[in-house]
């Protein structure tokens, strides 16, 4: 293994690794913590929980978000639930089963030690959230209620109707604001990180732009934590909010942090279908709906009948037919590809024939409307507000859409990147999900990283920093980084071309979805790389950004983010092209079984691909982290 990719996994049996780490990790005494400064970028579940936890320990924390309030972080949009192996249903769940489901769900392309730690810490997260007042659903007797999600055969998902992300974020937000009030956290809302400052090979601060004034600022610290989410918005049409972006992790990548498995992006199977070219985003409908909803299409091609007029014998419940063991709860990658297969075969429904049905009639008949309302009421209300259709009376229409990034910055067991002192947590890193994320593991990873992992691992790093004096933001490295940021911003406004950043973004997203989305091929990826390079060159010369750099300018913000997407997109395609196998969400048409399932190649590709920036987006350098399975044996991933 390359020295630079030293993973630092602790010794001992898998169930004891995290305990061994915590027992031996270096500490910083309380009187020394107040001498150390930490920057946390992002205030979603990962960022807010990390900032609150570190400040509670006594560190001086600077917290940054580009929203006007930490409460607007995109964690608020998560709906269906958060996983934990508490076995409340007495259905055989335990930490090992959770660990195995997650490893298998990621198609045996994730690091054993990190995944086991995620499962091990899951029960503590539920206790933490309940103590914060998160209103999880409860049984009549008071026990917390569970439901199932895709890829598992137990009920381990805790939920607050369809608002789980919002409720968990409120708990983390309150913990964060308590530390702001105690003056242990300094909050910088409406600030966007535009560069990482590296001094003597270590992360020592950031350059940020105040979005309300247009002024750039220099901020120094002993360590930097990125908790800035994923880059699914690169597809333009996605389930993510318009402001979601990848600039923080990409600017860090260009300062030396490796980017791992960037092509592994998840297409979610239960989103509202696109209804026209005017749309700028798509709406997610929680995967939890697949607990009681049955997915089907008409057997007849181009069937124009209303769903209620199509008799049972003329319906194809294709997930139940193809994957009888898991049925409608097949994992997301499999469910999304199966839906696309039906749509491409001419069995799509809706005005654009780009959707499938999600039908609750059987569940309503069996349990009653009141029970379905109790479980999913706000989701049904949201669906009716958007579509005008009452899903209690006729099926929902759903379609696959870009969603989550399994790839991200490469991190070791400590969640530290290849740049010492730079940590990446939550969806900003690559570490826990392999080639496909199981539903309800996203909120869990964000919370576990922030509440339970980073406070130990960051302290282990900071133990060597207690004699390091505070850094001067007026020093040469900060001034040079700020100068480079200002030069790029000025370049955007000086271009005065004819196309907006949104227009370029839409074109890029269409190219990616067609050639590096649900299905990939060698020919398609090579075409995409060529087209992305041409589009990036057009962006350099024909971008239109009205206004100036030293003022409120949302078009300037978009330009910077799309410029980064132009480079990330090529790396995504390079990564997908080099991996000559199918695994999880990465499905190469050349590498599939006779039954149309993914064909993995463990002999050649059982590794995480960590890419190094060279200064040229077309010539990244590949470093491989071999995946060693000591506890389980990778098998053919089957849900049949």
């Amino acid at each position: 293994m390359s020295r630079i990719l030293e993973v630092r996994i602790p010794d001992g049996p898998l169930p004891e690794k995290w305990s061994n780490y915590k027992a031996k990790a270096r500490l910083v005494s309380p009187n020394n913590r107040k001498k150390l400064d930490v920057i946390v970028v992002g205030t979603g579940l990962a960022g807010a929980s990390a900032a609150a936890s570190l400040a509670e320990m006594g560190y001086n924390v600077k917290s940054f978000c580009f929203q006007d309030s930490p409460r607007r972080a995109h964690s608020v949009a998560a709906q269906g639930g958060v996983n934990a192996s508490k076995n409340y249903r007495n259905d055989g769940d335990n930490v090992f089963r959770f660990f195995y489901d997650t490893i298998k769900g990621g198609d045996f392309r994730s690091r054993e030690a990190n995944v086991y730690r995620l499962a091990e810490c899951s029960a503590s997260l539920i206790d933490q959230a309940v103590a914060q007042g998160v209103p999880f659903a409860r049984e009549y007797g008071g026990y917390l209620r569970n439901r199932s999600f895709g890829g598992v055969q137990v009920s381990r998902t805790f939920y607050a109707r369809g608002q789980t992300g919002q409720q968990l974020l409120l708990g983390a937000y309150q913990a964060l604001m308590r530390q702001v009030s105690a003056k242990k956290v300094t909050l910088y809302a409406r600030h966007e990180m535009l560069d990482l400052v590296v001094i003597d090979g270590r992360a020592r601060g950031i350059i940020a732009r105040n979005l309300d004034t247009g002024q750039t600022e220099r901020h120094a610290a002993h360590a930097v934590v990125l908790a800035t989410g994923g880059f699914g918005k690169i597809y333009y049409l996605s389930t993510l909010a318009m402001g979601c972006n990848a600039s923080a992790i990409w600017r860090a990548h260009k300062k030396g942090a490796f980017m791992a498995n960037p092509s592994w992006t998840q297409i979610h199977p239960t989103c509202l279908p696109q209804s026209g070219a005017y749309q700028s985003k798509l709406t997610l409908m929680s995967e939890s709906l697949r607990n009681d909803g049955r997915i089907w299409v008409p057997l007849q091609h181009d069937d124009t009948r209303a769903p209620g007029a199509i008799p049972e014998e003329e319906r194809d419940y294709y997930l139940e037919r193809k994957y009888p063991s898991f049925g409608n709860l097949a994992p997301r990658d499999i469910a999304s590809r199966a839906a696309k297969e039906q749509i491409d075969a001419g069995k799509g429904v809706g005005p654009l024939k780009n959707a499938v049905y999600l039908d609750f009639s059987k569940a309503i008949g069996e349990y009653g409307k009141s029970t379905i309302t109790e479980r999913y009421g706000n989701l049904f209300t949201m669906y009716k507000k958007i579509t005008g259709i009452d899903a209690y009376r006729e099926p929902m229409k759903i379609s696959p859409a870009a969603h989550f990034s399994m790839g991200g910055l490469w991190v070791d067991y400590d969640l530290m990147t290849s740049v010492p002192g730079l940590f990446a947590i939550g969806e900003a890193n690559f570490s826990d999900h392999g080639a496909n994320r199981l539903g309800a593991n996203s909120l869990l990873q964000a919370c576990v990283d922030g509440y339970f992992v980073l406070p130990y691992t960051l302290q282990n790093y900071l133990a060597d920093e207690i004699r390091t004096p505070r850094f001067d933001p007026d020093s040469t490295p900060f001034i040079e980084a700020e100068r480079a940021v200002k030069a790029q911003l000025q370049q955007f406004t000086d271009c005065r071309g004819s196309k907006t950043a949104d227009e370029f973004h839409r074109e890029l997203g269409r190219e990616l979805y067609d050639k590096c989305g649900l299905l990939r091929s060698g020919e398609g990826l090579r075409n995409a790389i060529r087209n992305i390079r041409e589009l990036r060159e057009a962006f350099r010369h024909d971008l239109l950004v009205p206004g100036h750099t030293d003022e409120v300018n949302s078009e300037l913000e978009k330009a910077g983010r799309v410029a980064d997407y132009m480079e990330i997109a090529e790396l995504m395609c390079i990564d997908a092209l080099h991996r000559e196998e199918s695994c999880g969400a990465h499905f190469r048409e050349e590498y599939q079984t006779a039954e149309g399932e993914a064909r993995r190649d463990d002999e050649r590709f059982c590794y995480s691909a960590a890419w190094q920036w060279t200064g040229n987006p077309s010539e990244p350098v590949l470093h491989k982290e071999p995946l060693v399975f000591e506890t389980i044996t990778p098998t053919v991933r089957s849900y049949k």
Side-chain angles (χ1 to χ4, degrees):
M1 184 183 296
S2 171
R3 178 187 62 83
I4 205 166
L5 283 183
E6 184 181 355
V7 184
R8 300 186 181 89
I9 296 174
D11 295 330
L14 188 62
E16 299 174 15
K17 289 185 183 297
W18 182 230
S19 297
N20 289 344
Y21 181 97
K22 291 188 290 183
K24 298 175 183 177
R26 292 168 298 170
L27 303 177
V28 178
S29 64
N31 61 315
N32 281 328
R33 294 174 197 164
K34 59 188 177 184
K35 303 175 185 177
L36 297 169
D37 304 324
V38 180
I39 286 173
V40 180
V41 185
T43 57
L45 273 174
S49 60
S53 299
L54 294 170
E56 181 91 33
M57 294 170 72
Y59 298 104
N60 303 305
V61 179
K62 288 184 176 183
S63 173
F64 292 81
C65 66
F66 64 75
Q67 300 92 346
D68 57 355
S69 165
R71 286 180 58 179
R72 293 187 183 272
H74 197 58
S75 299
V76 75
Q79 297 169 343
V82 57
N83 285 334
S85 57
K86 279 185 169 288
N87 196 32
Y88 281 178
R89 288 288 188 91
N90 196 30
D91 53 3
D93 199 14
N94 53 49
V95 170
F96 183 85
R97 192 178 299 278
F98 187 177
F99 153 76
Y100 183 80
D101 286 344
T102 301
I103 287 278
K104 177 184 175 183
D107 217 347
F108 303 95
R109 288 291 178 264
S110 48
R111 193 187 292 155
E112 274 193 342
N114 287 63
V115 176
Y116 196 91
R117 180 174 62 188
L118 179 75
E120 183 181 355
C121 293
S122 64
S124 298
L125 182 273
I126 301 303
D127 298 338
Q128 167 92 3
V130 170
Q132 289 177 332
V134 174
F136 288 122
R138 292 183 180 268
E139 304 287 357
Y140 178 77
Y143 286 103
L144 297 182
R145 181 176 289 174
N146 297 135
R147 57 190 177 200
S148 291
F149 258 58
V152 304
Q153 293 178 307
V154 297
S155 296
R156 67 164 65 103
T157 304
F158 295 77
Y159 64 98
R161 300 186 77 180
Q163 307 169 354
T164 314
Q166 179 185 33
Q167 299 302 327
L168 285 170
L169 184 61
L170 286 173
Y173 166 76
Q174 290 173 111
L176 172 64
M177 295 312 292
R178 179 172 176 266
Q179 297 304 319
V180 171
S181 179
K183 302 191 184 310
K184 292 302 295 178
V185 172
T186 304
L187 180 62
Y188 294 87
R190 294 286 294 154
H191 280 67
E192 182 171 21
M193 172 184 161
L194 294 184
D195 206 359
L196 177 74
V197 179
V198 178
I199 301 175
D200 296 329
R202 294 179 180 269
R204 296 304 190 189
I206 66 170
I207 306 299
R209 181 171 180 267
N210 184 326
L211 302 181
D212 286 335
T213 66
Q215 300 302 306
T216 53
E217 302 174 3
R218 305 188 289 266
H219 296 272
H222 292 89
V224 176
V225 180
L226 299 185
T228 51
F231 49 93
K233 192 62 188 171
I234 195 170
Y235 289 95
Y236 192 75
L237 282 178
S238 79
T239 65
L240 277 68
M242 289 299 294
C244 292
N245 65 86
S247 287
I249 62 172
W250 190 249
R251 306 292 170 92
H253 171 64
K254 295 172 82 168
K255 285 298 182 72
F258 292 176
M259 194 81 167
N261 306 324
S263 67
W264 290 350
T265 51
Q266 184 172 79
I267 308 297
H268 198 292
T270 54
C271 304
L272 299 191
Q274 183 180 5
S275 56
Y278 55 84
Q279 280 184 266
S280 58
K281 78 173 297 293
L282 300 172
T283 302
L284 173 69
M285 299 304 293
S286 169
E287 180 180 308
S288 62
L289 294 168
R290 293 199 277 149
N291 272 280
D292 290 304
R294 301 178 72 198
I295 296 173
W296 63 276
V297 293
L299 281 173
Q300 181 179 310
H301 287 65
D302 297 318
D303 198 324
T304 58
R305 290 176 291 177
I310 301 175
E312 280 288 315
E313 61 271 16
E314 295 182 32
R315 301 179 180 186
D316 181 9
Y317 294 91
Y318 57 88
L319 288 177
E320 298 174 24
R321 170 175 56 81
K322 294 182 68 173
Y323 307 102
S325 292
F326 287 75
N328 294 295
L329 286 174
R332 291 177 176 178
D333 59 325
I334 289 173
S336 292
R337 281 198 298 274
K340 186 178 190 305
E341 182 181 89
Q342 298 299 322
I343 292 168
D344 290 348
K347 297 181 182 180
V349 300
L352 300 182
K353 301 295 183 183
N354 61 346
V356 298
Y357 287 128
L358 180 60
D359 194 333
F360 291 87
S361 57
K362 182 178 180 181
I364 292 172
E366 186 174 347
Y367 305 119
K369 180 180 177 181
S370 61
T371 298
I372 300 302
T373 301
E374 181 185 356
R375 294 175 181 174
Y376 317 107
N378 65 303
L379 297 171
F380 277 65
T381 300
M382 181 173 72
Y383 184 82
K384 187 171 184 180
K385 283 183 178 179
I386 295 171
T387 67
I389 295 172
D390 184 352
Y392 294 109
R393 296 179 176 274
E394 66 176 88
M396 292 182 179
K397 299 181 187 72
I398 58 169
S399 183
H403 182 55
F404 186 89
S405 309
M406 283 78 68
L409 292 182
W410 182 90
V411 293
D412 61 16
Y413 188 77
D414 287 8
L415 305 184
M416 188 164 70
T417 70
S418 49
V419 175
L422 177 66
F423 293 76
I425 60 177
E427 196 179 347
N429 74 35
F430 87 112
S431 67
D432 290 355
H433 307 299
N436 176 61
R437 176 176 67 80
L438 292 185
N441 270 355
S442 174
L443 295 180
L444 177 65
Q445 184 207 356
C447 292
V448 163
D449 284 359
Y451 285 127
F452 304 119
V453 178
L454 190 72
Y456 286 96
T457 62
L458 182 61
Q459 182 167 234
N460 187 58
Y461 170 81
L462 290 174
D464 286 336
E465 296 291 316
I466 57 176
R467 292 184 180 85
T468 303
R470 286 192 165 93
F471 292 86
D472 182 4
D474 292 328
S475 62
T476 300
F478 283 89
I479 293 172
E480 290 179 348
E482 184 182 29
R483 186 182 296 124
V485 164
K486 286 183 173 181
Q488 186 193 45
L489 296 174
Q490 194 63 50
Q491 182 182 11
F492 292 147
T493 57
D494 288 348
C495 191
R496 301 299 177 187
S498 63
K499 292 173 66 175
T500 65
D502 270 338
E503 290 177 277
F504 280 107
H505 190 183
R506 188 187 295 270
E507 194 171 339
L508 176 68
R510 188 162 47 242
E511 184 73 19
L512 274 182
Y513 192 82
D514 288 345
K515 300 182 177 70
C516 194
L518 271 172
L519 301 176
R520 295 104 183 259
S521 69
E523 180 182 4
L525 290 166
R526 283 186 285 270
N527 288 337
I529 290 170
R530 182 177 62 251
N531 295 340
I532 289 166
R533 289 172 182 170
E534 292 174 358
L535 189 62
R536 188 167 63 236
E537 189 64 20
F539 179 86
R540 285 181 55 211
H541 296 101
D542 199 25
L543 173 67
L544 173 61
V545 177
H548 304 283
T549 62
D550 57 349
E551 62 185 7
V552 175
N553 192 338
S554 61
E555 288 301 310
L556 183 60
E557 298 165 30
K558 292 178 186 176
R561 296 165 187 172
V562 175
D564 295 329
Y565 280 153
M566 289 288 179
E567 295 175 343
I568 299 170
E570 183 172 0
L571 184 60
M572 288 173 63
C573 294
I574 290 172
D575 183 55
L577 183 62
H578 109 276
R579 190 170 285 274
E580 296 176 337
E581 65 166 352
S582 291
C583 59
H586 170 66
F587 193 88
R588 286 281 296 268
E589 295 181 63
E590 306 96 324
Y591 306 103
Q592 56 181 302
T593 67
E595 296 178 320
E597 304 295 336
R599 193 174 80 229
R600 217 174 56 235
D601 187 344
D602 291 340
E603 186 174 334
R604 297 172 59 211
F605 293 101
C606 192
Y607 59 79
S608 291
W611 297 92
Q612 181 181 6
W613 175 259
T614 63
N616 183 342
S618 299
E619 297 179 355
V621 173
L622 172 63
H623 299 269
K624 299 177 182 179
E625 180 203 326
L627 295 172
V628 179
F629 295 99
E630 299 176 353
T631 306
I632 62 171
T633 301
T635 59
V636 175
R637 180 171 172 249
S638 174
Y639 294 90
K640 295 189 173 184

